[in-house]
């Protein structure tokens, strides 16, 4: 970006905001610039795939223009006001600029035929004269004139483009497009959840696969990779590790879709997965209605983008076509990684690289087994060692079997048990039967719980399942602990149950073994089996306790069809409408504990249903306006008296909660995106059992005054409550509250002083509360606070006593446009590990006490271009634990980069990053070594400085993967092929001495028959 003068940029976080509809909003005065400039700029942006808001193109007939323009600003990631001579003549242009400043959106001004100083409205200037006209004609109030002048004055200090610095208009448009694309680049991939278990023997496989990808990538196209092998062999683990290795390439979109085959068994499963994929694309909102629409949206939104897509456990060509059929439209350098048990699916898809995962060699199988069976590294006696070898051999190199069998034998000293295990494993030829050995070792209650999770509760929250089991399984916590310890189930993000597909199949197979006749089983989860029972209402199904019916298409059932299911404890229905009335001896469902209705089309719950025993009521994404009709209001048996979980997520038409419902036992209430809900019942103060309350997206303007009576509340989400302006004074009485999210509440102006009473609060997020100008002085009393998120807030300073937050480990002050200083006592935050202050343009100095943060490992100052190197150097010299230090960004000039280089070239950070600096010194370049092209110069992405010494032996060959060098280095040694021989250690030392900034990865190609290892040298 060309700058009117060295000044601070208004650029916020480089992370994508997935809730934004547009990338760019263009603000301008039509008569001045629309036809001769704006139209051409808009076309250039759109041509590059940048979603741009332009009034004539983005407004539809019938839209309320002021509201739509306001939404266009708040729903854009970057706003570009184009200042012309007559810009302030338009009152709406002035209002747009003011809205940009208030909303905290990134502003990149373009000065078309004026200088930046004109925006300061000095007496006699063109802009000042227009304000005088507005004042004399009483077209604007004094308050608005003051507000608009302040907004313009603030923008005058921001980096932007000046038209008079370009010879041709096309040159300016080209640079705007380039700069916008750089600013939109995502830097959030490190937040991706990839749970990679402990593994052995995969290093050489990862290395081999990465080299295959490198060969395929030379064709400069999107590469599709297929990883196949039998269940439990380690396909998903290998794919995750490869993805992790590829993330350094900086993809625009990353998406991991786990357990595709399993999730496609749900109603509209493919459509849900397409929606999940699309929501990984920055700016996408909404849902997909059908598969063809999803494919079209993927093609439209991903065309030309650099994508990393991991599709796990594909079971059919239809699934692959729906999720990655348009992969050839992805940008060059994209990767689609597919795992499947079926090699034929990969062949039909014509993937570029096919990789088969084979069984582990005995050496690595033994390492994996020992890790799980002997967690304390104790060495077994001689006889047990022999039996151990027999057990490992019988597992036949299958990682999942080794893990489960190893866990089942932890602490087992009885040799007879080991001998029995060897016999059982040797008698079972296939994997599922080997896994059955671990299942057989469970007690009866653990077996019931295992089947419940396999058939129903995978991907469900543990807390809800525990409430369901409370009166059905004695000591459910002990049973679950046993399953977790034996790795038959695990817990993932949000405490949800995860289960390997092989174990899921095992559990469902065991559940169906009870009888070939569905109505004689305990659990029905298959669509055909469920409908088989429903269509014969005259035949009893007294054994069926769990019933899940998800038809492929919406269907209407009669209440009488549920007559055989009079012993139900769990009933899940999706896309099912119910006609008629539940009545009679067999239709009351009086033992029902969990009712789940998804996409339910009626206005209230089914009539006449006995809900007295219900503990979990889940009605999601449905059309209900109220829970039950007048009949239920009068009949207590039709209302739950023991309800503990109420989930009404996505019921946008729900206007109120019933006053007659008993809330005293309620532990979890989910009202997420109940957009029409504007208040809570008056009895809220008596909900003393409530632990979790989610009201994100509700229309509440205030909370009841006795809200603080919720003595056991631990998690509260009030984000995106656009009408919420304040919190009650009783808020500080929530002494058990551990997590509070209030982000994106634009009308919230202050937090109550009583917030200091939240002694248990560990996480507080007030990000993008633009009207929040400060924190109360009592915030320093939050003794348990570990993470404080304040990104995009309107604060100008922090209270001095915030330095008393003795437990604080993470602090995010990024994109706080008005923040000008940090407290002097900042160094008292002794536990601080991560500090994010990026794109805070008003910050000029860092407190010297920052150098006292002995635990600080990550510091992000990207976009804080006003901070002096002197201030940085004095602080950084005292940070012994610092590993990641980010600085620079657009607007970081060549002079600043040179000063930075001179000041910090001797520091030993393992990660020192300079992001997106088009003005980087010419001698900082990077390229991909290989072939006859040598190294291709580009602007620097990042530099690595590390004091560690690395050596390689004489005579070894190595392959250069990535290099950061000075331009005066002779590249001849890289040309003519990418394999280089180190003739002597002295050669290596000579090269090392010549490089000031260097990072390369090398593969040692030794003569040893073992697979080559990837070695990273950092200097």
């Amino acid at each position: 970006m060309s700058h009117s003068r060295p000044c601070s940029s208004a650029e916020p976080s480089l992370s994508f905001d997935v809730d934004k509809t547009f990338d760019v909003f263009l603000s301008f005065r039509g008569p001045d610039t629309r036809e001769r400039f704006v139209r051409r700029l808009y076309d250039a942006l759109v041509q590059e795939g940048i979603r741009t808001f332009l009034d004539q193109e983005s407004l539809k007939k019938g839209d309320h223009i002021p509201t739509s323009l306001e939404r266009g600003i708040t729903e854009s990631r970057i706003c570009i006001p184009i200042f012309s001579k007559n810009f302030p003549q338009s009152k709406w242009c002035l209002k747009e600029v003011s809205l940009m400043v208030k909303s905290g959106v990134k502003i990149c001004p373009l000065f078309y035929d004026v200088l930046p100083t004109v925006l300061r409205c000095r007496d006699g200037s063109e802009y000042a004269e227009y304000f005088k006209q507005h004042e004399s004609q009483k077209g604007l109030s004094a308050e608005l004139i003051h507000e608009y002048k302040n907004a313009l004055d603030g923008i005058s200090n921001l980096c932007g483009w000046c038209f008079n610095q370009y010879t041709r208009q096309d040159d300016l448009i080209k640079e705007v497009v380039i700069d916008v694309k750089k600013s939109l680049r995502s830097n959030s991939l490190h937040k991706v959840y990839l749970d990679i278990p402990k593994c052995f023997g995969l290093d050489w496989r990862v290395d081999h696969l990465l080299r295959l990808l490198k060969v395929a990538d030379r064709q400069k196209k999107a590469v599709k990779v297929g990883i196949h092998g039998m269940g439990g062999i380690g396909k998903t683990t290998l794919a995750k590790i490869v993805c992790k290795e590829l993330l350094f390439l900086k993809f625009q979109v990353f998406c991991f879709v786990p357990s595709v085959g399993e999730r496609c068994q749900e109603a509209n499963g493919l459509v849900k997965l397409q929606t999940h994929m699309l929501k990984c694309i920055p700016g996408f909102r909404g849902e997909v209605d059908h598969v063809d629409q999803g494919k079209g949206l993927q093609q439209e939104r991903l065309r030309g983008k650099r994508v990393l897509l991991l599709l796990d456990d594909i079971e059919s060509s239809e699934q692959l076509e729906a999720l990655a059929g348009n992969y050839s439209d992805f940008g060059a350098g994209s990767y689609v990684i597919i795992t499947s048990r079926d090699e034929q699916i990969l062949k039909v898809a014509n993937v570029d690289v096919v990789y088969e995962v084979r069984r582990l060699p005995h050496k690595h199988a033994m390492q994996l087994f020992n890790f799980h069976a002997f967690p304390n590294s104790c060495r077994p006696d001689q006889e047990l060692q022999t039996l151990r070898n027999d057990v490992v051999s019988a597992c036949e190199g299958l990682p999942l079997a080794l893990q489960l069998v190893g866990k089942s034998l932890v602490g087992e000293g009885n040799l007879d048990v080991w001998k029995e295990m060897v016999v059982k494993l040797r008698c079972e030829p296939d994997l599922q039967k080997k896994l059955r050995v671990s299942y057989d070792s469970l007690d009866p209650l653990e077996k019931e719980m295992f089947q419940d999770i396999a058939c129903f509760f995978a991907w469900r929250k543990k807390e809800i399942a525990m409430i369901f089991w409370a009166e059905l399984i004695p000591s459910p916590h002990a049973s679950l602990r046993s399953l977790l310890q034996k790795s038959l189930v695990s817990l993932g993000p949000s405490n949800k149950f995860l289960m390997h597909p092989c174990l899921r199949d095992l559990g469902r197979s065991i559940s169906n073994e009870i009888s070939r006749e569905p109505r004689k089983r305990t659990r029905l989860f298959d669509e055909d089996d469920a409908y088989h029972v429903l269509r014969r209402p005259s035949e009893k199904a007294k054994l069926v306790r769990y019933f899940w019916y998800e038809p492929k298409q919406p269907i209407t059932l009669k209440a009488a069809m549920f007559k055989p299911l009079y012993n139900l404890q769990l009933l899940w229905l999706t896309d099912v409408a119910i006609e008629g009335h539940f009545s009679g001896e067999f239709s009351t469902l009086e033992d029902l504990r969990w009712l789940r209705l998804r996409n339910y089309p009626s206005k209230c719950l089914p009539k006449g249903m006995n809900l007295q025993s219900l503990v979990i009521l889940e009605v999601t994404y449905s059309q209900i306006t109220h829970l039950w009709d007048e009949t239920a209001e009068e009949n207590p048996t039709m209302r739950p008296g023991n309800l503990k979980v109420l989930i009404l997520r996505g019921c946008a038409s729900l206007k109120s909660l019933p006053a007659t419902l008993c809330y005293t036992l309620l532990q979890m209430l989910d009202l997420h995106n109940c957009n029409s809900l504007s208040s809570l019942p008056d009895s809220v103060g008596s909900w003393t059992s409530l632990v979790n309350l989610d009201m994100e997206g509700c229309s509440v303007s205030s909370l009841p005054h006795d809200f603080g009576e919720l003595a056991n509340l631990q998690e509260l989400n009030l984000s995106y409550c656009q009408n919420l302006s304040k919190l009650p004074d009783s808020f500080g009485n929530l002494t058990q509250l551990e997590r509070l999210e209030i982000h994106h509440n634009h009308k919230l102006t202050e937090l109550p002083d009583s917030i200091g009473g939240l002694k248990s609060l560990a996480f507080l997020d007030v990000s993008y509360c633009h009207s929040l100008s400060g924190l109360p002085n009592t915030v320093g009393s939050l003794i348990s606070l570990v993470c404080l998120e304040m990104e995009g807030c309107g604060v100008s300073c922090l209270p001095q006593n915030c330095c008393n937050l003795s437990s604080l480990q993470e602090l995010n002050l990024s994109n706080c446009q008005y923040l000008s200083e940090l407290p002097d006592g900042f160094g008292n935050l002794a536990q601080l590990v991560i500090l994010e202050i990026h794109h805070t343009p008003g910050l000029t100095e860092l407190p010297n006490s920052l150098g006292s943060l002995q635990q600080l490992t990550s510091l992000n100052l990207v976009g804080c271009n006003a901070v002096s190197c002197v201030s940085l150097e004095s602080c950084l010299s005292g940070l012994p634990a610092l590993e990641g230090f980010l600085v620079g960004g657009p607007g970081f000039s060549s002079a600043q980069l040179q000063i930075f280089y001179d000041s910090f070239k001797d520091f030993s950070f393992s990660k020192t990053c300079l992001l997106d600096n088009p003005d980087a010194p010419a001698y900082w370049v990077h390229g991909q070594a290989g072939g006859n092209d040598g190294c291709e110069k580009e602007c620097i992405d990042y530099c690595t400085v590390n004091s560690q010494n690395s050596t390689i032996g004489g005579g070894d060959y190595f392959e250069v993967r990535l290099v950061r060098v000075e331009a005066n280095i002779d590249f001849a040694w890289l040309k003519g092929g990418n394999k280089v021989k180190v003739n002597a250690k002295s050669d290596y030392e000579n090269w090392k001495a010549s490089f000031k900034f260097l990072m390369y990865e090398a593969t040692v190609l030794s003569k040893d028959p073992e697979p080559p290892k990837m070695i990273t040298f950092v200097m």
Side-chain angles (χ1 to χ4, degrees):
M1 185 185 293
S2 294
H3 312 287
S4 51
R5 63 203 164 289
C7 59
S8 302
S9 168
E11 182 182 354
S13 171
L14 292 174
S15 300
F16 279 127
D17 186 341
V18 296
D19 292 321
K20 298 296 186 182
T21 305
F22 299 96
D23 295 320
V24 173
F25 180 93
L26 297 178
S27 175
F28 58 97
R29 186 176 182 274
D32 291 354
T33 56
R34 181 187 298 277
E35 296 303 327
R36 55 180 173 167
F37 178 76
V38 173
R39 170 59 62 180
R40 298 180 65 183
L41 174 60
Y42 172 82
D43 290 341
L45 290 167
V46 170
Q47 188 174 356
E48 290 296 324
I50 298 170
R51 292 161 297 124
T52 307
F53 186 102
L54 182 68
D55 50 9
Q56 290 184 348
E57 300 294 334
S58 304
L59 295 178
K60 302 175 183 177
K61 290 183 178 179
D63 282 353
H64 184 248
I65 294 178
T67 302
S68 298
L69 290 175
E70 289 182 21
R71 188 179 298 117
I73 292 172
T74 57
E75 289 294 315
S76 296
R77 298 173 60 205
I78 299 174
C79 285
I80 301 180
I82 301 170
F83 293 105
S84 55
K85 290 182 178 179
N86 302 314
F87 185 92
Q89 185 178 0
S90 167
K91 298 174 187 175
W92 187 253
C93 285
L94 295 172
K95 184 175 182 180
E96 286 180 352
V97 168
S98 178
L99 284 171
M100 293 175 196
V101 174
K102 287 181 179 178
S103 67
V105 68
K106 173 184 175 179
I107 303 173
C108 294
L110 191 152
F111 306 100
Y112 186 74
D113 53 4
V114 296
L115 294 175
T117 53
V118 175
L119 273 65
R120 297 175 182 172
C121 300
R122 301 288 187 258
D123 289 342
S125 69
E126 298 150 312
Y127 278 29
E129 292 301 316
Y130 278 120
F131 277 105
K132 287 183 179 179
Q133 293 177 21
H134 290 311
E135 189 173 10
S136 63
Q137 297 170 7
K138 298 184 178 180
L140 293 173
S141 66
E143 291 80 4
L144 282 178
I145 288 177
H146 179 71
E147 176 182 322
Y148 294 165
K149 281 186 175 180
N150 282 344
L152 290 173
D153 185 70
I155 293 176
S156 72
N157 293 314
L158 302 181
C159 296
W161 303 275
C162 277
F163 185 74
N164 62 8
Q165 295 181 359
Y166 298 85
T167 307
R168 298 185 310 124
Q169 181 170 278
D170 287 346
D171 294 337
L172 170 59
I173 291 175
K174 182 178 179 180
E175 183 155 341
V176 170
V177 172
I178 292 173
D179 291 339
V180 166
K181 288 173 67 177
K182 287 181 178 179
S183 296
L184 293 174
R185 186 178 299 149
S186 171
N187 192 39
S188 61
L189 292 177
H190 65 283
K191 299 177 181 178
V192 173
Y193 180 83
L194 285 177
D195 181 25
I196 300 176
K198 181 69 174 179
C199 49
F200 298 88
L202 286 186
D203 290 348
W204 67 271
R205 294 181 179 182
V206 172
D207 177 31
H208 184 200
L209 188 50
L210 286 172
R211 282 190 285 161
L212 292 175
L213 297 185
K214 183 177 180 181
V215 173
D217 194 33
R218 290 174 182 169
Q219 300 177 35
K220 303 299 181 183
K221 65 170 187 176
V223 177
K224 189 187 286 187
V225 185
I227 300 175
H228 71 95
M230 65 182 298
I233 200 70
K235 301 182 297 296
T236 302
T237 300
L238 176 61
K240 287 180 179 179
I241 296 175
V242 170
C243 275
K244 189 175 180 181
E245 291 293 318
L246 291 173
L247 283 179
F248 81 96
L249 293 174
K250 295 187 72 176
F251 296 91
Q252 293 171 285
V253 178
F254 172 79
C255 183
F256 170 39
V257 188
S259 304
V260 173
E262 175 185 358
R263 297 165 77 180
C264 281
Q265 294 178 13
E266 302 178 8
N268 299 317
L270 263 180
V271 171
K272 294 174 187 175
L273 293 181
Q274 286 179 321
T275 301
H276 167 77
M277 271 189 60
L278 287 165
K279 287 186 176 179
C280 293
I281 303 173
F284 181 83
R285 302 184 71 179
E287 305 288 330
V288 176
D289 296 325
H290 53 83
V291 171
D292 288 340
Q293 180 197 25
K295 291 167 67 175
L297 287 170
Q298 290 170 16
Q299 185 176 26
E300 173 188 336
R301 294 302 185 96
L302 294 175
R303 180 183 288 115
K305 284 185 166 59
R306 193 172 191 180
V307 179
L308 178 57
L309 174 61
L310 172 52
L311 302 176
D312 178 44
D313 195 25
I314 292 287
E315 293 182 352
S316 70
S317 297
E318 177 192 16
Q319 296 168 4
L320 188 54
E321 177 66 23
L323 298 174
N326 299 314
Y327 89 100
S328 58
D329 293 322
F330 298 172
S334 295
Y335 294 94
V336 179
I337 301 177
I338 306 152
T339 72
S340 178
R341 303 185 202 182
D342 189 347
E343 182 183 8
Q344 186 61 27
I345 293 174
L346 306 178
K347 290 181 178 179
V348 171
N350 195 28
V351 299
D352 301 288
V353 176
V354 179
Y355 189 88
E356 180 181 7
V357 182
R358 300 183 182 275
R359 300 170 190 261
L360 288 176
H362 184 79
K363 171 185 174 182
H364 297 134
M366 182 64 73
Q367 291 174 336
L368 181 60
F369 179 82
N370 287 341
F371 177 79
H372 293 291
F374 305 101
N376 298 322
S377 301
C378 56
R379 184 178 180 85
D381 58 36
Q382 187 61 42
E383 191 171 0
L384 193 56
Q385 287 186 41
T386 302
L387 289 171
R388 178 189 60 177
N389 290 335
D390 293 341
V391 169
V392 171
S393 297
C395 287
E396 299 179 330
L398 297 172
L400 183 59
L402 289 161
Q403 176 185 355
L404 296 179
V405 173
K407 287 289 183 69
S408 69
L409 293 172
V410 172
E412 183 57 70
N414 189 332
L415 298 182
D416 290 336
V417 174
W418 282 77
K419 292 175 182 177
E420 289 176 5
M421 180 66 72
V422 173
V423 173
K424 288 180 181 180
L425 290 171
R426 285 176 175 171
C427 292
E428 306 298 356
D430 60 41
L431 174 63
Q432 192 170 101
K433 291 183 178 180
K434 290 184 185 295
L435 300 181
R436 180 80 182 241
V437 173
S438 295
Y439 171 83
D440 290 339
S441 68
L442 302 176
D443 68 34
L445 295 178
E446 293 167 356
K447 290 179 178 178
E448 289 292 310
M449 183 175 283
F450 176 80
Q451 291 183 55
D452 283 353
I453 297 173
C455 300
F456 291 90
F457 299 154
W459 297 96
R460 302 292 301 185
K461 284 190 174 182
K462 182 197 77 170
E463 292 81 5
I464 301 178
M466 296 302 289
I467 290 173
F468 175 75
W469 283 321
E471 297 177 18
L472 301 178
I473 298 179
S475 305
H477 290 280
S479 297
L480 178 59
R481 183 166 55 250
S482 177
L483 295 181
L484 291 170
Q485 288 173 346
K486 295 174 180 177
S487 295
L488 290 168
V489 67
S490 61
L491 294 175
S494 303
N495 235 15
K496 292 182 178 180
F497 287 128
L498 301 180
M499 183 174 278
H500 193 282
C502 294
L503 293 171
R504 176 206 67 205
D505 294 345
L506 172 66
R508 293 183 174 185
S509 174
I510 293 172
S511 184
N512 287 339
E513 286 176 0
I514 297 174
S515 173
R516 296 183 60 184
E517 174 58 42
R519 67 184 60 251
K520 294 182 180 180
R521 300 177 195 156
T522 304
R523 303 170 181 84
L524 292 181
F525 47 86
D526 178 78
E527 177 190 350
D528 294 333
D529 290 342
Y531 190 68
H532 174 81
V533 173
L534 288 172
R535 66 190 177 92
R536 296 179 182 177
S538 61
E539 301 178 21
K540 295 182 180 180
K542 64 178 182 179
L543 295 179
V544 178
R545 294 186 289 114
Y546 297 28
F547 189 89
W548 182 3
Y549 182 46
E550 285 199 12
K552 292 182 174 62
Q553 300 294 332
I555 191 174
T556 300
L557 302 177
K558 295 185 182 298
M561 298 176 72
F562 291 87
K563 182 178 179 179
L565 301 167
Y566 56 91
N567 279 331
L568 277 189
Q569 296 172 344
L570 178 148
L571 175 60
W572 288 3
L573 302 173
T574 299
D575 288 317
V576 173
I578 298 177
E579 285 184 352
H581 195 281
F582 280 81
S583 61
E585 181 181 355
F586 301 111
S587 306
T588 54
L589 303 177
E590 60 185 19
D591 293 326
L592 191 63
R593 293 176 57 81
W594 189 338
L595 174 62
R596 188 184 85 167
L597 303 174
R598 185 181 175 93
N599 298 339
Y600 183 64
S602 301
K603 301 298 182 184
C604 64
L605 295 179
K607 298 179 180 180
M609 183 179 286
N610 189 330
L611 302 177
Q612 201 166 18
S613 299
L614 206 66
V615 292
I616 302 169
L617 176 58
E618 187 176 355
V619 187
T620 57
Y621 305 100
S622 300
Q623 302 301 314
I624 61 168
T625 58
H626 49 286
L627 284 182
W628 39 70
D629 61 6
E630 299 79 7
T631 307
E633 293 288 348
E634 299 171 359
N635 187 348
T637 63
M638 298 180 187
R639 303 195 306 267
N642 300 301
L643 198 65
K644 296 183 179 180
V645 177
L646 178 57
I647 301 175
L648 300 170
R649 175 175 288 246
C651 293
S653 301
L654 183 70
K655 297 180 180 178
S656 63
L657 296 178
T660 55
L661 180 64
C662 179
Y663 295 95
T664 53
L665 299 177
L666 197 66
Q667 298 178 25
M668 184 180 300
L669 177 58
D670 188 344
L671 303 170
H672 193 105
N673 281 345
C674 292
N675 307 124
S676 301
L677 188 68
S678 58
S679 63
L680 294 174
D682 295 335
S683 62
V684 64
S686 64
W687 303 357
T688 52
S689 299
L690 195 64
V691 173
N692 189 310
L693 174 58
D694 188 342
M695 296 182 64
E696 179 172 325
C698 290
S699 299
V700 294
S701 57
S702 62
L703 298 175
H705 68 279
D706 58 348
F707 192 83
E709 301 295 321
L710 300 176
N712 289 302
L713 192 66
Q714 296 179 13
E715 296 187 15
L716 175 61
N717 186 354
L718 295 169
S719 304
Y720 290 98
C721 294
Q722 301 294 348
N723 297 323
L724 186 65
S725 57
K726 64 178 298 185
L727 301 176
D729 293 334
S730 65
F731 207 79
N733 296 331
L734 302 174
T735 54
Q736 299 301 312
L737 193 66
E738 298 175 359
R739 185 179 183 91
L740 175 59
E741 297 180 60
I742 334 175
H743 55 83
H744 290 88
N745 285 327
H746 302 314
K747 292 186 179 181
L748 188 67
T749 57
E750 62 180 2
L751 299 179
D753 289 336
S754 64
I755 197 171
L758 304 180
K759 303 301 183 182
S760 301
L761 193 67
F763 180 89
L764 174 60
D765 189 350
V766 292
S767 301
Y768 295 100
C769 292
H770 302 305
S771 301
L772 187 65
S773 57
L775 296 177
N777 290 327
T778 55
V779 72
S781 301
L782 299 176
I783 56 176
S784 301
L785 194 65
V786 173
C787 180
L788 176 57
E789 294 281 346
M790 296 183 63
E791 182 170 356
C793 282
V795 296
S796 58
C797 61
L798 299 177
Q800 184 65 39
N801 63 3
C802 78
C803 301
N804 297 332
L805 298 173
S806 56
S807 300
L808 194 66
Q809 296 180 18
E810 297 184 30
L811 176 59
N812 189 349
L813 297 169
S814 304
N815 197 25
C816 291
Q817 300 295 312
Y818 305 107
L819 184 66
S820 58
E821 60 179 356
L822 298 178
D824 292 335
F826 208 76
N828 294 331
L829 300 174
Q831 301 302 316
L832 197 64
V833 176
I834 298 174
L835 177 58
E836 300 272 342
I837 328 179
H838 60 79
H839 300 98
T840 302
L843 194 65
T844 58
E845 298 289 335
L846 298 177
N848 291 332
S849 63
L850 191 145
S852 303
L853 300 177
Q854 301 295 300
Q855 304 299 321
L856 193 69
T857 62
S858 177
L859 174 61
N860 189 343
L861 293 171
V862 172
C864 299
N865 299 336
V867 176
S868 68
C869 282
V870 175
S871 175
L872 281 175
E873 188 172 8
S874 63
C875 296
L876 297 179
S877 59
L879 301 176
L882 193 63
E883 296 176 358
F885 171 42
L886 303 175
V887 71
F892 209 63
S893 67
S894 296
Q896 287 175 298
L897 288 172
Q898 184 63 58
I899 294 173
F900 176 83
Y901 168 70
D902 292 338
S903 301
F904 306 119
K905 60 185 178 182
D906 296 326
F907 278 58
S908 59
F909 311 131
S910 61
K911 297 178 183 176
T912 300
C913 301
L914 305 174
L915 299 175
D916 298 326
N917 289 290
D919 295 321
Y923 53 82
W924 285 350
V925 299
H926 86 278
Q928 184 70 40
N932 294 320
D933 297 330
C935 286
E936 184 177 349
K937 294 185 180 180
E938 297 179 17
C939 294
I940 194 164
D941 283 329
Y942 61 92
C943 294
T944 299
V945 186
N946 197 302
S947 61
Q948 297 177 0
N949 293 322
S950 303
T951 59
I952 52 180
D956 283 341
Y957 286 86
F958 66 92
E959 180 181 9
V960 175
R961 277 190 61 191
L962 186 65
V963 65
R964 304 283 190 274
V965 300
E966 284 193 356
N968 60 7
I969 296 297
D970 182 7
F971 289 120
W973 62 282
L974 289 177
K975 296 180 179 179
N978 57 2
K979 292 181 180 177
V980 182
K981 185 175 182 179
V982 184
N983 294 316
K985 184 176 179 181
S986 60
D987 289 346
Y988 171 75
E989 294 296 338
N990 290 337
W991 288 341
K992 179 180 175 182
S994 302
F995 286 72
K996 292 183 178 178
F997 284 103
L998 170 64
M999 184 183 81
Y1000 64 82
E1001 295 184 7
T1003 302
V1004 174
L1005 304 176
S1006 64
K1007 298 178 182 179
D1008 189 75
E1010 284 290 317
K1013 298 179 180 180
M1014 182 67 71
I1015 300 178
T1016 302
F1017 298 96
V1018 184
M1019 290 173 282

